[in-house]
Amino acid sequence: MKRCRVHILRAGSCAHPAIMTRRDAGLAPTVFPALAALIVHPEEGPILFDTGYDPAFFAATEPFPERLYRWTTPVSFEPGDAVADQLPAFGFRPEDIRAVVVSHFHGDHIAGLSRFPQARIFCARAGLAEVQRTGRVARVRRGILAALAPVDLDARAVFFEARPPVALGPDMAPFETGADLLGDGSLLAVPLPGHCPGHWGLVVRQTDDRTRFLIADAAWSSGAVRDDVPPPRLTTALLGETGTYRETLHALHQLWGRNPEVILTPSHCGEVEIETHCAD
């Protein structure tokens, strides 16, 4: 199995009442970073897991009804926050990115997708179907901004479901099977249903021989995984399926309990951001 260098990048943030992400939390506004991962494969080169926010997000949410997205999830974004603008610090250019693995098509995960025109786009069929569904209001209500999808997305898409299935091994129980994206065991996409249609995570073996599980929005925080505390039903029912979300969260909680050496990495967890930056 190939080992990869993994860097966690913060590409802006949004603010919500804490209770919207964890049902035992309060009403205080909380800042949630939008995290992406730069994965440097020893042969394939730089690959991204999601993109976080990007200036394209603000253009996409200028008209109505898309502006509702910006109103309901206020975004903080400074010059230089975009993943594409952070790449030179690691010795790369946007055109060097060979692939982008899309956990799901919510705007805070794909806003920078068009900045990487040379990249294959690994995604779920169900996720792409959400982008292509009719009705702008319906899309916005489900967190989709169709304007953020590249015009050639269909031609560049490589579906998780079409990649070879492989066993994850006992260290990842209760998760059993992943999709081998590159055919060498280095990047294994794993379905994490419940948050929205076509929501997947990614298992990566790092150069330090530790396993990182990028879990996107299957949990809003590492604490929620440890405590097995989901968001309130209002949040999960708005975007996905509450029962399925809670089953996925419980499976992640079980994985953490059985193998705490796996680095579980939610996409909006400030705790992960701090730990990762300190580790770097």
Side-chain angles (χ1 to χ4, degrees), residues 15-22 25-32 72 74 220 232 235:
H16 291 288
I19 196 172
M20 294 299 291
T21 65
R22 180 172 168 144
L27 294 172
T30 303
V31 174
F32 295 94
T72 55
W220 278 78
T235 299

Side-chain angles (χ1 to χ4, degrees), residues 167-177 190 203 211 213 248 250-260 262 264:
L168 295 176
D171 288 348
M172 290 296 297
F175 298 93
E176 298 179 350
T177 305
V190 179
V203 174
T211 297
F213 193 0
T248 296
H250 183 63
L252 291 167
H253 173 73
Q254 290 178 303
L255 171 60
W256 172 79
R258 293 170 178 171
N259 188 4
V262 175
L264 294 171

Side-chain angles (χ1 to χ4, degrees), residues 2 21 75 142 166 217:
K2 299 290 194 305
T21 65
V75 173
R142 297 175 70 87
V166 295
D217 289 359

Side-chain angles (χ1 to χ4, degrees), residues 66-95:
E66 288 77 12
R67 184 172 280 265
L68 293 171
Y69 193 125
R70 197 194 304 185
W71 287 345
T72 55
T73 56
V75 173
S76 295
F77 191 85
E78 300 295 333
D81 280 353
V83 165
D85 297 332
Q86 296 183 52
L87 290 177
F90 300 93
F92 300 116
R93 303 166 300 168
E95 54 266 34

